[in-house]
Amino acid sequence: MSDFQIKEAPEVYDVIIIGSGAGGGMAAYELTKAGAKVCLLEAGQHYDPADPKYITQLKWPYQSPRRGASTRYRPFGDFDAAYGGWDIEGEPYTTKGDTKFRWFRSRMLGGRTNHWGRISLRFGPQDFKRYSIDGLGEDWPIGYEDVAPFYDEVDRLIGVFGTNENLPNDPDSIFLPAPKPRLHEMMLLKSNKNLGITTIPSRLSILTKPINDERGVCFYCKQCNRACVAYADFSSSSCLCKPASKTKNMDTIYYAMAREVLTDTKTGLATGVSYVDTLTLEEKTVRGKIVILAASACESARLLLNSKSARFPDGLANSSGVVGKYLHDSTGASRGGIVPALFDRKRYNEDGVGGMHVYSPWWLDNKKLDFPRGYHIEYWGGMGMPAYGFGWGIEDTNGMFADRNGNKKGGRRLWRFVERRLSPLLWRIHWYGRPR
């Protein structure tokens, strides 16, 4: 048996970026444009939604063996743009005690930006000064006015539709025209006006008019989750990584599962990255002057903890001991219902963009409430093409809910997503020899 060897690439890059999603893609875009030589490490495969090899947009249900139903690695349906899931073979993870955390990972160029909802909202002035307002958490050392110019730059780059509303904590932007509300949204606007619930056009990073020669505009097929063949919706793969590659200043290595950040024993500065080729299971290294971790909150924490040395016995950037702790997922709840007024009506093409056309930002006065801060409401509905299954599981709710007389009947279903915490994350060895 031959000795175990680590293969090392000869080139030394200006910057190595781990992860090609929102953060990694933006770093690659800006750095390559500035002339830096970049190596982008992606744990998954190449992806281009306009390449016939990957296109799922505008396909009929019968073009899938399961009429579009989900699989382990396509958990949101066979046509969804996400390659990955909550449970990926060879990548197990544990949680502490009886806590629960569902960790979704996309193993593809662009990561989760390929199938997200494109909701592109800014932090408002109050979000930077919450401690001063409600005594919870800490105030930021900067304010909205400090980051507003950068918000403007990003919104010009990715393209965000919406309307200027001059709301106190929902800053306006350089908006593209917003799509018109559909029938169910017009009903919501009318009812919410009577209820005093602020409801405005949503703010999504989808092009409703051209902004450059590389991207087309939305043609309202309501399939942004499948990734856009016209590049009309923002994703890192289409809008950041592809332009970065065109500069010829970036090498992308696919199926590269980062294992640890390498450091100089004397200075402690990063010198490269050790990664595992998931196709051959060989360990390889790539060298660089700077390393950027953009592998998502959990993966980046895992890499920092795994990058131990005599100088950093608890991992990189972890002298405080809090890396991997106090992380939490976004939270929400949803409720579905039936609107009798929409029965027996005319049918229209109600596809629109792949998301809501209107939403409600926080509208209440916390001084009159018994809880701090707030939430926003996203509205969904309307006619759509039948797909697999029946009623998205509503058939399973028969007998679950009682009416006002105490009789249980079929009907509503409530989905809740509770806050999950990783404090601490517990890692386990898996195929690629990485503590999880």
Side-chain angles (χ1 to χ4, degrees):
M1 181 177 179
S2 60
D3 294 335
F4 177 75
Q5 293 182 339
I6 298 175
K7 295 188 176 182
E8 181 173 338
E11 184 172 356
V12 178
Y13 292 90
D14 293 323
V15 183
I16 301 169
I17 303 172
I18 303 173
S20 63
M26 186 63 75
Y29 177 85
E30 291 293 335
L31 288 167
T32 55
K33 190 171 62 171
K37 299 299 181 182
V38 173
C39 178
L40 181 65
L41 298 180
E42 166 54 49
Q45 65 181 50
H46 175 67
Y47 182 72
D48 182 345
D51 185 333
K53 179 180 178 181
Y54 304 105
I55 290 175
T56 58
Q57 202 171 41
L58 302 180
K59 288 192 174 182
W60 295 90
Y62 59 76
Q63 291 180 271
S64 163
R66 297 162 294 279
R67 292 190 62 80
S70 63
T71 63
R72 180 178 180 181
Y73 296 109
R74 304 299 286 275
F76 296 116
D78 204 28
F79 297 126
D80 192 85
Y83 295 150
W86 288 281
D87 302 305
I88 300 178
E89 187 176 7
E91 297 188 44
Y93 63 94
T94 62
T95 55
K96 185 177 181 180
D98 60 353
T99 60
K100 295 180 181 180
F101 182 80
R102 298 277 282 163
W103 183 14
F104 190 92
R105 290 148 289 171
S106 286
R107 293 292 179 243
M108 59 196 300
L109 185 69
R112 285 175 287 187
T113 66
N114 289 295
H115 64 104
W116 68 303
R118 272 80 187 184
I119 300 172
S120 302
L121 307 176
R122 299 184 177 197
F123 266 25
Q126 297 172 17
D127 297 319
F128 291 87
K129 306 296 179 184
R130 286 298 183 183
Y131 178 80
S132 297
I133 296 172
D134 57 31
L136 299 174
E138 300 288 343
D139 286 345
W140 286 57
I142 58 174
Y144 173 74
E145 65 279 1
D146 296 307
V147 298
F150 301 99
Y151 272 131
D152 288 348
E153 185 176 352
V154 170
D155 287 355
R156 286 191 185 97
L157 171 64
I158 67 176
V160 179
F161 70 68
T163 52
N164 291 321
E165 302 288 342
N166 197 30
L167 298 173
N169 198 46
D170 297 276
D172 295 325
S173 179
I174 306 158
F175 288 126
L176 302 176
K180 295 180 179 179
R182 294 159 290 195
L183 180 59
H184 67 281
E185 291 159 332
M186 288 190 283
M187 294 183 66
L188 282 162
L189 286 167
K190 181 179 179 180
S191 298
N192 284 358
K193 183 177 181 180
N194 294 332
L195 294 169
I197 300 174
T198 301
T199 306
I200 63 175
S202 54
R203 299 170 173 183
L204 275 60
S205 53
I206 299 172
L207 302 189
T208 56
K209 63 180 293 186
I211 63 171
N212 56 40
D213 295 332
E214 285 74 41
R215 299 173 60 192
V217 299
C218 181
F219 47 91
Y220 304 112
C221 72
K222 202 180 181 180
Q223 294 181 355
C224 291
N225 66 303
R226 301 187 184 194
C228 186
V229 296
Y231 306 139
D233 56 8
F234 169 77
S235 66
S236 177
S237 55
S238 304
C239 306
L240 300 176
C241 296
K242 189 170 184 177
S245 294
K246 286 184 177 181
T247 66
K248 306 299 182 182
N249 288 328
M250 184 172 77
D251 294 329
T252 302
I253 303 177
Y254 295 102
Y255 303 104
M257 188 70 70
R259 191 179 69 82
E260 69 173 307
V261 177
L262 304 175
T263 56
D264 184 278
T265 55
K266 295 181 179 179
T267 66
L269 298 177
T271 59
V273 176
S274 172
Y275 69 92
V276 176
D277 183 323
T278 62
L279 299 180
T280 65
L281 299 185
E282 294 177 295
E283 183 170 358
K284 302 178 180 180
T285 62
V286 61
R287 297 289 176 178
K289 302 171 186 176
I290 297 172
V291 176
I292 295 177
L293 267 62
S296 81
C298 296
E299 283 282 14
S300 294
R302 187 267 305 169
L303 279 166
L304 290 172
L305 292 172
N306 204 30
S307 301
K308 296 180 179 180
S309 64
R311 190 183 186 98
F312 304 108
D314 298 318
L316 284 176
N318 194 32
S319 59
S320 63
V322 298
V323 171
K325 300 179 181 179
Y326 312 115
L327 305 177
H328 69 87
D329 204 351
S330 56
T331 60
S334 62
R335 183 181 295 273
I338 294 173
V339 182
L342 292 174
F343 287 177
D344 300 322
R345 65 177 178 86
K346 291 183 179 180
R347 268 61 168 172
Y348 305 96
N349 182 339
E350 300 175 16
D351 285 348
V353 303
M356 72 274 190
H357 286 199
V358 301
Y359 87 112
S360 290
W362 181 238
W363 71 98
L364 295 174
D365 183 356
N366 287 102
K367 295 178 181 178
K368 301 177 182 179
L369 302 171
D370 61 355
F371 62 90
R373 308 184 189 182
Y375 49 84
H376 73 244
I377 303 177
E378 304 167 12
Y379 301 104
W380 302 80
M383 295 287 184
M385 181 190 298
Y388 59 89
F390 171 77
W392 299 98
I394 199 170
E395 73 278 9
D396 298 326
T397 65
N398 289 327
M400 288 178 61
F401 302 99
D403 62 19
R404 66 182 63 187
N405 297 316
N407 301 312
K408 289 190 176 182
K409 299 179 180 180
R412 301 174 299 170
R413 182 174 182 179
L414 175 67
W415 292 269
R416 291 199 66 225
F417 300 92
V418 298
E419 182 173 313
R420 297 111 174 186
R421 296 188 182 273
L422 299 176
S423 42
L425 291 173
L426 300 180
W427 309 111
R428 166 196 298 180
I429 298 294
H430 79 342
W431 281 4
Y432 311 124
R434 306 177 305 158
R436 299 294 293 186

